[in-house]
Amino acid sequence: MSEPSGAAVVIIGGGVTGLSAGWWLARAGVDVLVLERGIVGWEASGRNGGGATHVYSPFGLEEQRLWPQMDDLLGYPTEYQPRRIGVALTEPQWALARRWAEIGEMRGFRWESLDRRQLKELVPIVGDNAIGGTYLHFGGHANPQRTVQAYAWALQDHGGRILQHTTVTGFTVRGGRVTAVETTRGPFGADTVVIAAGPQTGLFADMLGVALPLAPARVEMIATEPIPLMPTGGVAGNGLYGRQTLRGNLVYGGGPHEWVNVPDMAAPEHPNSPLVRNLARRLAELFPGAAHVRLIRSWGGVVENTPDGLPVIDRLSDPDNVVLATMSSVGFGLSPAAGRGISELVLHGRCLFADLAALALRRFADTPPDWRERAGWVVADARLAETR
Ligand SMILES: Cc1cc2nc3c(=O)[nH]c(=O)nc-3n(C[C@H](O)[C@H](O)[C@H](O)COP(=O)(O)OP(=O)(O)OC[C@H]3O[C@@H](n4cnc5c(N)ncnc54)[C@H](O)[C@@H]3O)c2cc1C
């Protein structure tokens, strides 16, 4: 069978951003092709905490509206579970949990304060070290692997195509437009190109003469053996985010981030043991009732970070048929809404359901080239070298 030769819309990157955008486009009847250098969801999109509680984002309201419908819209399960609980072990953690809840309240969502007794009823594994908590009637979480697969299947159900093991290496630009995407399997013609390559999005922007400030960082996650299912499986606290899977495992991650260099950005093969031990200690503090439970897995992933922590979703003016989309560490939860927004940028030149001004690339017009160094977001070795 001959390989596809191009498409109306070629999307670089088979993570949740590219797949969701491709799915929205395909369901609108657009001829779409996703090019992925590995397999779909192999990078951050399949390795994350599954959290979907980003009500502060311009996409926040749409994120909250779409997630409860995603299984029906996609036709495949994402294991989405609504609501979140925040546990505070200290006064600063309590203030932070309330702050997140109040941001939701400002956007029209409900939350309640929980005392220790109420907290223990909802989350039996919290201990006497908890001083209180928040119950969010919004937010939620889903299974990243299931969700990636659901997007990929749904996209193909609507006639979209995905080509894995195909690395994009450059662009053919003619008359102020990208006319083809060059790959290890040859060129693919395109009317419009969406660059949704996670941390690598900045490299592609560079090729087009556009500066997109991105700092990649490595983060770790741990998973325990299963414990009995809790009434609410989305519980955060003690600097950790995560969820209880439907099987019962506690899957958690959190800072600190390790800054990495652009050439080292492939998904890490092995977790960083000191970070994993730190996560495990904090998980046992958060859930003393599960401190005896064994860790069965850990893994690392690379997140993409912009200087202000917000995504960049923008349609370029030159070349004028390219949309950039990189999610700055919050791309899983936002993916249903971000994909819809990207599809509208492709189809209408602007997002019809949200004001994306806060996500425009021009906000970094004055960002100096050494912004990473100024922010201290540099790899540990490089910092040591500077002080020598
Ligand atoms: C451990 C961890 C925990 C996280 N927790 C959460 C969370 O709880 N909630 C949340 O919302 N977000 C979370 N995130 C962030 C979230 O996972 C990312 O923001 C999101 O997955 C980004 O999706 P993406 O599709 O934009 O990028 P990616 O998942 O990075 O996908 C980009 C794709 O582009 C492909 N690609 C790159 N270069 C090329 C090339 N040259 N040619 C072809 N293809 C290429 C890559 O192979 C990759 O598959 C977490 C991330 C990590 C690592």
Side-chain angles (χ1 to χ4, degrees), residues 247-294:
R247 187 161 175 264
N249 317 75
L250 301 172
V251 180
Y252 276 81
H257 291 181
E258 283 184 309
W259 302 106
V260 292
N261 272 328
V262 173
D264 310 329
M265 279 187 319
E269 291 280 322
H270 303 290
N272 173 322
S273 307
L275 278 191
V276 166
R277 277 200 293 275
N278 183 286
L279 292 177
R281 175 182 57 74
R282 286 189 285 147
L283 190 64
E285 286 167 4
L286 179 63
F287 298 136
H292 62 287
V293 177
R294 278 178 302 186

Side-chain angles (χ1 to χ4, degrees), residues 48-115:
N48 62 70
T53 313
H54 305 106
V55 287
Y56 59 85
S57 166
F59 285 131
L61 295 181
E62 189 66 357
E63 174 196 58
Q64 297 304 308
R65 191 184 76 83
L66 284 172
W67 266 112
Q69 313 174 41
M70 286 308 279
D71 287 17
D72 287 338
L73 290 175
L74 291 165
Y76 300 99
T78 62
E79 297 184 5
Y80 173 72
Q81 302 285 305
R83 289 181 277 284
R84 300 290 289 178
I85 289 177
V87 178
L89 305 184
T90 62
E91 287 299 335
Q93 288 183 14
W94 182 222
L96 191 65
R98 289 182 69 94
R99 176 82 193 115
W100 279 112
E102 284 161 4
I103 290 172
E105 190 172 69
M106 282 189 285
R107 302 216 73 190
F109 296 101
R110 226 156 43 87
W111 70 280
E112 289 164 52
S113 200
L114 300 173
D115 62 24

Side-chain angles (χ1 to χ4, degrees), residues 299-313:
W299 61 90
V302 176
V303 286
E304 63 293 338
N305 298 276
T306 61
D308 62 7
L310 291 177
V312 169
I313 312 269

Side-chain angles (χ1 to χ4, degrees), residues 11-19 35-54 63 84 166-169 196-201 204 207 217-221 241-242 253-254 299-304 325-335:
I11 298 177
I12 305 173
V16 283
T17 307
L19 292 173
L35 300 174
E36 165 55 49
R37 71 174 174 187
I39 57 172
V40 292
W42 182 250
E43 302 286 338
S45 293
R47 296 162 181 263
N48 62 70
T53 313
H54 305 106
E63 174 196 58
R84 300 290 289 178
T166 306
T167 302
V168 174
T169 53
Q200 284 85 358
T201 304
F204 289 114
M207 290 180 195
R218 168 189 168 121
V219 269
E220 305 279 330
M221 302 227 38
Y241 52 80
W299 61 90
V302 176
V303 286
E304 63 293 338
T326 188
M327 296 307 296
S328 202
S329 307
V330 289
F332 178 76
L334 292 177
S335 62

